[in-house]
Amino acid sequence: MTLRHLAPLGALLLALTLTACDSNSNEPTDLRLDLSATVDGAAFAAGQPFAVNGTTGQLDIAQLYLSGITLLHEDGREIAILAETPITVRAQDENEAEIQHTVTEQYVFANAAAGLSPVSLGEVPSGRYTGLRFLLGVDGLDNRIAPGDAPDDHPLAPKDPSMHWNWNAGYVFLRFDGLLDIDGDGTVDPSTGTPRDAASGQWRMHVGGGTNAQTVTLNQPFELSGGAMEDLQMEVDLAAFVSGLDFSDASDRWCMTGGCQDVVDTVKGNASSAFTVLGVQ
Amino acid sequence: MPRVPRWCGCLLAAVLVASASGCDSGGSPEEPPEVSVSVPEGFAPLPVPVQNPLRADRVALGERLFFDPILSRDRSVSCGSCHLPDLAFSDGRARSVGVGGATGLRNAPSLLNVAYRPTLFWDGGALFLESQALVPLEDPHEMDLPVADALDRLRQHPEYPALFAEAFEGDGPSIQTLTYALAAFQRTLVSAPTDFDRFRNGETAAFSATERAGFALFQQHCASCHAGPQLTTDGFENNGIVVTDEDPGRERITFSETDRGTFRVPSLRAVARTAPYFHDGRAATLAEVVDHYDRGGEGTPGQSPRVRPLRLQPDEKAAIVAFLETLDDRPAPVHTLP
């Protein structure tokens, strides 16, 4: 039996407790993270062209990982969100020894092309918050686990399209696959299949590596009134990640993390401005 | 019982995890039969992760999948096409050829004793046999089949769904079950004892005088990297081979220039069956390999100081080759435990 199976029972008990007492503002909030993806000021849709860095692009795959979500309470408390159900899986430590490792953090896997739905963050104290902090990435031992050991419904379980390199340790934490307009006619161009080919419209950016994980702090206040289910609405502007890249240069259009640290660094630098807290609903 | 807030890192969660993982290792009263393989003396016990025990049904399913070309785009190539049992699960080619005749960058290594490798591939990039299996499956130079398509084919197959269900408590084909089955089978590929093992165990007569002389020279010049009963430290070394940008070795994994030209030290178990040699099969024979070391490598940047001119006599080189030729490992038999 897992906690997942218990959750409905827990929810029922919670409901009973709630009706039993007056609603008051000290009650915790059952919080969800409601992430939505945009490009160029409009909702993102897979395979639909949008303006990016002075040209036209489209993304067929747009996936990312958030972890280490920490809510910054006005009273100074930092509320770190842990997974509802920790999982124990194989990992390899720095000395290449295989160990059993427990992943305790709540990971959020966002597959923008498939459409995003709210992710439960569990119960948190109500009240006013000055903002939140999280990591765009997977780091530490969590990045050296055997993905197949995670239960199918875990954010770190194998994904299709994949978020793990397999031929190398670790997760891709930001994956963009699509096409760009390279001849300037306003429509995206086909891929020739050859990486970094000047004649190819292929747009590929797979960013990973524990050292590339980027902390994002959003000093954007919100308030949780408590007592009920509330959604923290956050927007991620996918085009903002690549702001400043020069898409006329084939090497800025194709980056699998190795040998393109300049592209990776640009993305890291853009990470904070890609996210916005919209409010609580 | 009140609902426990998740952010406080609570005892309840810990208890539930304990009971959840308890279920994984066999909730049914009757444990399914497992297999055992005896390993040569001097080997550590066969490493088997708790997550993927060597269940007989799982190993059998993995073996069938390993040799089934259903897992390649045009149904022409199986894992076994490049990992042939007679060649200690290597393929005899300099560089492997996959679907449609596509040639990859690297030589297919033996899979004997692969359970013992702390890292996989010539550059040590992959960490687990389970996740490794997705690489050849999807690689355009190998089987070139997206995993979703592979799973669809298995789900529609007349026999596989039932075999998966049996081996995985009712679960059908999934990334997890497919890769677990393949890994379970590969962990059973272990060397049966060879003359080298008999010699190590004190049977001096297992080696001829030449082989003994060759082993002594090997101990002197080679064993700092090719050490112990598995003839490897599993470390990463630059043995003086010239590399290209296309395949810079471990630099591809670490992005560190000091790892250019560095590869995982290969185990030499079964090396008599795995010609041609080196990561891209550039050396056709063991004599060529010994010549490489005798010359002191190619003097590449970052070459290990332990690879230096040896000035061996022709009979000494022949003796080292004679020793290497005793390493003609075959797979050990696999027994099903009652």
Side-chain angles (χ1 to χ4, degrees):
Chain A
M1 185 169 59
T2 68
L3 195 57
R4 246 168 259 278
H5 299 132
L6 258 194
L9 178 65
L12 179 68
L13 289 168
L14 176 72
L16 292 173
T17 341
L18 285 178
T19 45
C21 55
D22 296 334
S23 86
N24 80 58
S25 61
N26 288 331
E27 275 186 53
T29 286
D30 202 355
L31 187 66
R32 303 193 303 179
L33 178 67
D34 184 7
L35 193 66
S36 55
T38 62
V39 280
D40 196 26
F44 167 78
Q48 294 301 311
F50 57 89
V52 56
N53 290 352
T55 184
T56 301
Q58 75 174 48
L59 288 171
D60 305 301
I61 302 171
Q63 304 180 154
L64 51 100
Y65 274 119
L66 308 184
S67 59
I69 301 171
T70 304
L71 308 183
L72 309 173
H73 203 280
E74 193 187 49
D75 67 11
R77 277 183 295 168
E78 296 201 342
I79 311 297
I81 306 295
L82 299 179
E84 187 171 29
T85 314
I87 56 164
T88 300
V89 295
R90 278 172 290 165
Q92 213 178 64
D93 69 14
E94 308 71 42
N95 306 317
E96 269 138 25
E98 189 174 301
I99 55 169
Q100 295 289 322
H101 168 66
T102 301
V103 177
T104 53
E105 265 182 48
Q106 172 73 51
Y107 278 86
V108 174
F109 168 63
N111 178 345
L116 300 172
S117 44
V119 176
S120 166
L121 301 183
E123 275 185 6
V124 300
S126 55
R128 277 208 291 270
Y129 285 82
T130 60
L132 79 159
R133 183 173 73 223
F134 55 85
L135 194 72
L136 172 69
V138 182
D139 78 344
L141 277 176
D142 291 358
N143 200 35
R144 295 178 65 83
I145 67 166
D149 287 356
D152 277 350
D153 54 358
H154 193 276
L156 294 179
K159 296 285 174 270
D160 182 25
S162 183
M163 289 295 271
H164 197 275
W165 265 300
N166 297 317
W167 55 267
N168 195 349
Y171 288 86
V172 174
F173 59 76
L174 181 68
R175 174 169 179 173
F176 281 3
D177 288 62
L179 298 171
L180 287 163
D181 171 23
I182 55 166
D183 57 16
D185 68 355
T187 56
V188 298
D189 295 302
S191 163
T192 61
T194 308
R196 298 197 170 102
D197 180 356
S200 179
Q202 187 177 37
W203 179 16
R204 257 193 172 201
M205 197 177 71
H206 297 185
V207 183
T211 54
N212 290 322
Q214 179 69 24
T215 299
V216 172
T217 305
L218 301 179
N219 294 313
Q220 300 171 18
F222 55 92
E223 182 166 357
L224 303 178
S225 43
M229 169 100 75
E230 289 178 279
D231 286 352
L232 177 62
Q233 296 179 320
M234 192 163 81
E235 193 175 85
V236 55
D237 177 355
L238 300 175
F241 285 114
V242 295
S243 167
L245 291 179
D246 176 6
F247 284 149
S248 67
D249 179 352
S251 61
D252 277 14
R253 303 195 293 260
W254 201 92
C255 175
M256 309 290 275
T257 298
C260 49
Q261 193 61 38
D262 49 336
V263 173
V264 172
D265 287 342
T266 301
V267 170
K268 286 166 72 172
N270 288 334
S272 289
S273 56
F275 294 90
T276 313
V277 173
L278 299 177
V280 173
Q281 193 132 68
Chain B
M1 183 183 70
R3 185 155 180 217
V4 191
R6 212 190 283 179
W7 48 274
C8 73
C10 46
L11 184 64
L12 175 68
V15 171
L16 285 166
V17 182
S19 64
S21 52
C23 292
D24 288 347
S25 50
S28 66
E30 222 174 281
E31 293 287 332
E34 297 196 358
V35 302
S36 85
V37 200
S38 42
V39 307
E41 237 176 276
F43 279 34
L46 189 66
V48 178
V50 291
Q51 278 84 358
N52 192 11
L54 288 187
R55 289 174 49 157
D57 45 12
R58 222 171 260 194
V59 170
L61 172 60
E63 179 166 13
R64 178 160 173 185
L65 291 163
F66 190 90
F67 292 106
D68 195 336
I70 193 176
L71 293 179
S72 63
R73 177 167 53 79
D74 62 1
R75 300 175 198 259
S76 67
V77 174
S78 72
C79 308
S81 309
C82 300
H83 299 288
L84 286 83
D86 274 350
L87 300 179
F89 298 90
S90 68
D91 69 359
R93 298 173 188 265
R95 306 193 320 189
S96 287
V97 178
V99 159
T103 303
L105 285 177
R106 290 185 178 160
N107 174 262
S110 165
L111 299 185
L112 281 184
N113 313 310
V114 73
Y116 289 92
R117 302 282 77 81
T119 64
L120 299 164
F121 294 138
W122 287 95
D123 52 29
L127 302 186
F128 302 97
L129 268 179
E130 279 79 0
S131 41
Q132 177 279 333
L134 295 172
V135 179
L137 194 68
E138 299 200 300
D139 187 332
H141 301 108
E142 299 190 27
M143 297 156 92
D144 195 20
L145 186 67
V147 65
D149 297 356
L151 296 175
D152 278 348
R153 286 185 188 181
L154 294 172
R155 288 179 188 128
Q156 282 155 24
H157 190 273
E159 288 154 40
Y160 276 122
L163 296 172
F164 274 88
E166 191 186 320
F168 293 98
E169 260 97 34
D171 286 348
S174 68
I175 296 182
Q176 188 193 47
T177 55
L178 169 61
T179 59
Y180 272 41
L182 284 167
F185 165 63
Q186 293 177 85
R187 286 199 178 91
T188 66
L189 306 177
V190 176
S191 291
T194 62
D195 285 344
F196 171 58
D197 298 291
R198 288 183 271 278
F199 182 78
R200 279 174 49 90
N201 292 336
E203 264 184 63
T204 327
F207 272 179
S208 70
T210 311
E211 289 159 359
R212 277 201 293 274
F215 182 51
L217 287 162
F218 182 88
Q219 290 291 79
Q220 190 184 344
H221 298 300
C222 319
S224 61
C225 294
H226 300 287
Q230 301 219 16
L231 299 161
T232 179
T233 57
D234 284 307
F236 298 97
E237 300 283 350
N238 180 329
N239 76 338
I241 265 204
V242 176
V243 294
T244 57
D245 283 344
E246 212 183 12
D247 190 357
R250 190 154 168 82
E251 184 187 13
R252 185 174 87 118
I253 303 303
T254 60
F255 312 132
S256 160
E257 227 173 285
T258 55
D259 286 326
R260 194 177 172 82
T262 294
F263 291 88
R264 187 188 68 183
V265 176
S267 164
L268 302 184
R269 299 293 308 214
V271 83
R273 295 183 183 276
T274 64
Y277 303 103
F278 294 143
H279 66 276
D280 54 2
R282 67 179 69 183
T285 61
L286 289 169
E288 269 183 50
V289 171
V290 173
D291 279 337
H292 165 87
Y293 286 108
D294 185 47
R295 278 196 303 277
E298 314 297 332
T300 55
Q303 179 176 317
S304 165
R306 282 171 288 165
V307 176
R308 52 174 196 280
L310 302 176
R311 299 190 181 84
L312 298 168
Q313 298 303 311
D315 63 325
E316 291 177 312
K317 291 200 248 180
I320 296 179
V321 171
F323 159 65
L324 294 172
E325 275 169 355
T326 69
L327 303 167
D328 62 348
D329 306 42
R330 312 282 325 196
V334 175
H335 305 285
T336 302
L337 299 173

